[in-house]
Amino acid sequence: MAHGTNTNPSARELAILRELEKKVLWLASWTIHHANHLRENVDGVKVGGHQASSASLATIMTTLYFDVLRPQDRVAVKPHASPIYHAIQYLLGRQSRQKLEDFRGYKGAQSYPSRSKDADDVDFSTGSVGLGVAQTLFSSLVQDYVRAHGWGLQRSEGRMIALVGDAELDEGNIFEAILEGWKQGLRNCWWIIDYNRQSLDAVIREGLWARFEALFQAFGWDVVILKYGALLQQAFREPGGERLRQWIDNCPNQLYSALVFQGGAAWRRRLLDEIGDQGDVTRLIEARSDEELARLMTNLAGHDLPSLIEAFGKVDHERPICFICYTIKGFGLPFAGHKDNHAGLMTPAQAESLRAAMNIRPGHEWDKFEGLEIARTELEQFLDRVPFAAGSRRHDAARIEVPADLPVTIQSVMSTQTGFGALLNELGRGKNAIAERIVTASPDVTVSTNLGPWVNRRGLFARESLADTFKSERIPSTFAWDFSPKGQHIELGIAEMNLFILLSALGLSHAINGERLIPIGTLYDPFIQRGLDALNYACYQDARFILVATPSGITLAPEGGAHQSIATPLIGLAQDGLAAFEPAFVDELAVILAFAFDYIQRDAEAEASERNWLRDETGGAVYLRLSTRPIEQIKRTMTPELRQAIVDGAYWQRPPGPNCQVVVAYAGAVVPEAIQAVGLMAEDRRDVGLLAVTSADRLNAGWTAAQRARERGLVHARSHIEKLLADVPSHCGIVSVIDGHPATLAWLGAVHGHRVRALGVEHFGQTGSIPELYRHYGIDANAIVAAAASAAPGRPIRHLKALP
Ligand SMILES: Cc1ncc(C[n+]2csc(CCOP(=O)(O)OP(=O)(O)O)c2C)c(N)n1
Ligand SMILES: [Mg+2]
C-alpha cells in the first residue's frame, strides 16, 4: 500500500475537524472582509474572487491539511483559495496574524499563494491558472528522477497534489501535461477538482464531469467521483430516496445553484412541484424543516468531512488519481450558489450575522479558538499532533563545485550552437560532480539543438529500461539512445509549456527533494513565446535552470520566416529572475556556461555589488540565446579580466582611440558584419571602437542599479557599462546592431548621452540566405556604415554603397 491514511477517524477527531473547518472558513472570510472594509488606507480597490472561491474548498483543505497530508506531500492550491491556505497555516502556528490582517497589502499574505513571497511555506505558487496544476505533475516526475538516480532515498516519497478549479481545466497546458505524464509513467500525483460548477463569469456546461472522467481514464488515471455527502446518502436509503437521487442527478447546474442561493423554502417548493406527488418522496421532504432540507440538499461530498476522509484515505496505489469533488461556490456564506458570486463580498451586515452565527465576540475575530465548542487545550493538542506539520518541509542542498574552465576544442569556424553541443559533449565524457547532476530536456528538438552527443553519452531517462532497437538490430545510427533509470536526458513531446514547467520543477529540486539538479532545457528561440507564461511562472517561483535557445533571429535564414524571433532579446532584458546572454564566440559561451552552473546555485540575500551593480549573490535562472551561424573564431587567451567582462555583459573588442568618432556595439551572430563595418569605415572615421555585448540584460540591470544607488547618495556608484563608455568622447556616435529588436541596445546612448542609431529587426517573415536577409532588414555591414555616417557626421565614407 502506498500511502493509506486514517480512513476511520474517531467521533471525537471528526468533531474537532468540524470545529476547525468552521474556524478556517471564518478566518478566511474575516481576512477578506478585513482587507476590504476594515483596514486603514484601503484604496477603494475591492478584493475580487476570493470569498466564494475560498469557501468552496474549505472542507477539502481542512481534511487535507489537518488529517491526510504528510510533511513530504506538496500542494498547489487554487489561486483564490489563498485565504483558506493562510488561515490553516495560522492555526498551525506558521502564519502571523499581522500578515493575515495585511492580506493583499504591502508585505502581507499574498492574494495568490506564493512560494517566494509568502512566509508560510507555500509549496507551489499559483495565480496564472493551469500552471500550478501542471507543476505538481512535473514535480512527481522530478521526484522519480531524483530517486531513480539513487538520491534522497532516506526521505519518504511525497504525493504531489493540486487543488484545481473546475473552470481551470479549460487551460490547454493541463492537457499537454496529462499527455506527457502518461508517456513518462506518472505516479504519486493527485488532482482534486473543486467541482463547484461555476467559473468566474458563468455556470459550467452540464455533464462536464463525464468528459473529465473519460479523459483522465483514457490517460491511465484513477478517477473518483465524490458527489453525495453522508446525509444525502442516508436519505437515498429512505423510501423515496432513489427518486430524490434521480431528481438531483438530472437537475441542471443553473437551477441547482439558484436553489442553493434561495434556500430551504425554495428547495421545498421546487421538489414538491416536480416529484412531490409520489408518496414516499413527499414524506421524505416533509419530514424535514426548511433548514434541514437546505442542509440535506447542499450536502455534497466536497463539504462532507467523513466522505472526504474516507475517499482520500482509501487510496492504496501510486497511479495518478483525479478526484472530482462536488462543491458549492460560497458554501456557508450568504451568496452561496449565486452565479454572480465570484467577486462577491459580504456586506458589513452579513459579516455581522456570520460573526454571530460563529459565536465570535466583537474584538475576538482573530482568536484561534473563539466561539468553538471544544476546549482550547484539546484543540491545541490536536493541532500539535497534525502529521503535516510534524517535519521540516523546505530542504536545501549543498552547492555543487563548478570547474573554473569548461574544456572545449574550438574550431576556427564554429557556431555558438555547435559550441554548446561540444561543451556538453566534453562534460558528458567525464565523471565529475557537475556532469552527474546535469539533467537535460528538450521538446522534441534534442538533435536539432545539438544535445545529441550529450545524450549519446548519458542516455535517456525512464524509470523502466528500454533498449534502442535500432542498436540491437545493428542498424547504423548517429544516435544510440537507450532509456534507463540512470539516463540524464528527459525526452519531451513538442509542447513548450511542458518544457518550462518541467524546468520549473527540476529547478526547485534542491528545495523540494533536498537534491540539487542542474537543469538545462533547449528549444528553438521563437518558441520561448509559446511557453512564455510558464517561463515567467518558473521565474516567479525562483526555479533555477539554464535555458538554451537556438536557432534565433533571422539568422536561421532559409529555415523560414515563421521561425524567426525578434522579441526574445527584449524578453531576456525584461524577465525578472532570468539572466540573459547572447555570446558571439564559443570561448565566451564557455565562460558564460561555467558562470551559469554556479549562478543558478546561488541563493544568498545580497545588496547590489559595487563592482558591477548586479545582485549576483542572489542567483537566478539563465537564458542563452544562441545561433546556428558558423562564425570565424578569435584565437585569444582567456584572461581573468576578459572572463569577468564577458560575465558582466560587455568588453571592448577594439577599444576606441582618443579621437574616436564612432563606436559599433554588437551582440551575437552579427559580429562578422560589425567587424567588417569597422574595417570599411576605418579610413574615414578615426579610432572606431568595437564593443562586444555579451549580455544586454546584465549591462542594463547594472546601469539601472547604479543610477538608483547614486540617487540614494552613493555618489561613486559606477556600473560596468558606465565605466566602459566613460572615455568615449561625447561627440562620438554609437551604432548598435543585433539580430533582434533594436530597442535591446538602443538605451546605450542614454548611458553618457551619446547619439545612437540602433539597428536590428522590427519586421519578419522573409526567407533567404543570411546576406540577403541582413541586407533586407538592414543589419549588414553596409547598413552599419550608413548608420555610422548619420550618427557621426563627417566626411563621406567612401566604402558606403547606396542603401537599397
Ligand atoms: C491564465 C489566467 N487567466 C485568467 C485568470 C483569471 N481567473 C482567475 S480564477 C478564474 C476562473 C475561476 O474558476 P474556477 O477555476 O472554476 O474556480 P472557482 O472560482 O470556481 O473557485 C479566472 C478566469 C487567471 N488567474 N489566470
Ligand atoms: Mg469553479
Side-chain angles (χ1 to χ4, degrees), residues 46 59 79 110 121 133 172 180 188 303 342 400 426 430 435 483 528 534 587 651 653 659 724 733:
K46 297 287 185 197
T59 324
Q110 296 286 303
D121 202 15
V133 181
E180 194 61 51
N188 292 319
H303 296 296
H342 187 74
I400 314 258
E426 282 303 321
F483 285 92
I528 283 181
D587 60 352
Y651 63 90
Q653 211 194 98
N659 300 310
L724 283 171

Side-chain angles (χ1 to χ4, degrees), residues 78 165-167 194-199 204 329:
K78 180 185 83 167
D166 45 3
D194 176 11
Y195 198 63
N196 60 21
R197 286 145 294 143
Q198 282 189 260
S199 64
I204 64 168
K329 193 161 168 174

Side-chain angles (χ1 to χ4, degrees), residues 388-711:
F388 173 74
S392 71
R393 306 192 64 256
R394 273 214 183 188
H395 304 303
D396 202 359
R399 272 204 212 183
I400 314 258
E401 203 57 44
V402 179
D405 275 306
L406 299 179
V408 60
T409 309
I410 299 180
Q411 282 137 22
S412 56
V413 177
M414 203 174 187
S415 72
T416 45
Q417 191 206 65
T418 316
F420 168 71
L423 277 157
L424 274 204
N425 184 33
E426 282 303 321
L427 269 168
R429 207 186 274 281
K431 236 186 120 49
N432 58 67
I434 203 88
E436 301 302 311
R437 295 285 169 152
I438 289 177
V439 46
T440 53
S442 186
D444 208 28
V445 288
T446 304
V447 174
S448 42
T449 56
N450 235 347
L451 271 178
W454 157 265
V455 179
N456 272 348
R457 292 193 186 283
R458 312 299 286 210
L460 292 162
F461 170 72
R463 271 194 309 117
E464 314 281 334
S465 294
L466 183 70
D468 185 340
T469 308
F470 275 69
K471 195 163 78 180
S472 51
E473 292 290 321
R474 300 181 191 285
I475 302 173
S477 157
T478 324
F479 303 107
W481 288 6
D482 293 327
F483 285 92
S484 87
K486 295 282 165 265
Q488 285 180 254
H489 179 69
I490 300 178
E491 188 179 62
L492 290 176
I494 308 170
E496 286 78 13
M497 275 279 179
N498 282 340
L499 171 72
F500 288 114
I501 304 176
L502 173 64
L503 289 175
S504 174
L506 291 167
L508 289 174
S509 176
H510 53 284
I512 288 179
N513 302 306
E515 295 293 334
R516 172 119 24 217
L517 298 175
I518 305 287
I520 301 178
T522 67
L523 85 169
Y524 291 2
D525 195 55
F527 304 130
I528 283 181
Q529 290 163 140
R530 173 71 80 107
L532 191 52
D533 195 26
L535 170 62
N536 180 58
Y537 174 68
C539 292
Y540 178 59
Q541 299 211 85
D542 201 20
R544 302 308 181 83
F545 53 87
I546 300 169
L547 182 64
V548 180
T550 166
S552 60
I554 56 165
T555 305
L556 52 76
E559 181 74 14
H563 282 18
Q564 296 164 350
S565 59
I566 294 179
T568 47
L570 290 175
I571 292 169
L573 197 77
Q575 178 63 54
D576 192 16
L578 189 71
F581 293 88
E582 184 161 357
F585 299 107
V586 174
D587 60 352
E588 296 170 355
L589 175 63
V591 166
I592 292 166
L593 195 59
F595 167 78
F597 286 150
D598 190 61
Y599 183 75
I600 63 168
Q601 300 190 60
R602 300 179 189 175
D603 60 2
E605 289 291 323
E607 294 295 314
S609 131
E610 301 206 359
R611 190 182 52 73
N612 54 11
W613 289 94
L614 294 167
R615 291 154 59 233
D616 270 356
E617 279 314 304
T618 62
V622 172
Y623 159 35
L624 309 180
R625 188 175 190 253
L626 303 186
S627 173
T628 39
R629 183 183 190 190
I631 279 176
E632 201 177 321
Q633 303 290 306
I634 312 176
K635 281 205 174 56
R636 55 185 167 186
T637 346
M638 187 53 66
T639 62
E641 295 73 30
L642 180 57
R643 180 185 295 277
Q644 189 61 59
I646 289 167
V647 165
D648 288 347
Y651 63 90
W652 285 113
Q653 211 194 98
R654 186 178 195 264
N659 300 310
C660 172
Q661 291 174 291
V662 182
V663 163
V664 176
Y666 73 88
V670 292
V671 59
E673 283 63 33
I675 292 173
Q676 195 194 353
V678 169
L680 289 175
M681 59 186 141
E683 292 170 37
D684 301 303
R685 290 291 181 280
R686 283 190 292 172
D687 292 352
V688 179
L690 184 62
L691 185 72
V693 176
T694 48
S695 172
D697 176 30
R698 285 170 58 83
L699 275 188
N700 183 268
W703 175 50
T704 311
Q707 292 176 90
R708 200 180 304 117
R710 287 198 294 274
E711 286 150 17

Side-chain angles (χ1 to χ4, degrees), residues 708-728:
R708 200 180 304 117
R710 287 198 294 274
E711 286 150 17
R712 293 177 183 173
L714 289 164
V715 290
H716 299 299
R718 289 288 176 281
S719 63
H720 185 57
I721 188 64
E722 287 170 319
K723 289 184 216 160
L724 283 171
L725 296 181
D727 295 330
V728 176

Side-chain angles (χ1 to χ4, degrees), residues 35 82 139 197 238-239 251 361 379 405 428 507 603:
S82 161
S139 288
R197 286 145 294 143
E238 291 176 26
C251 180
R361 290 164 295 166
L379 291 171
D405 275 306
D603 60 2

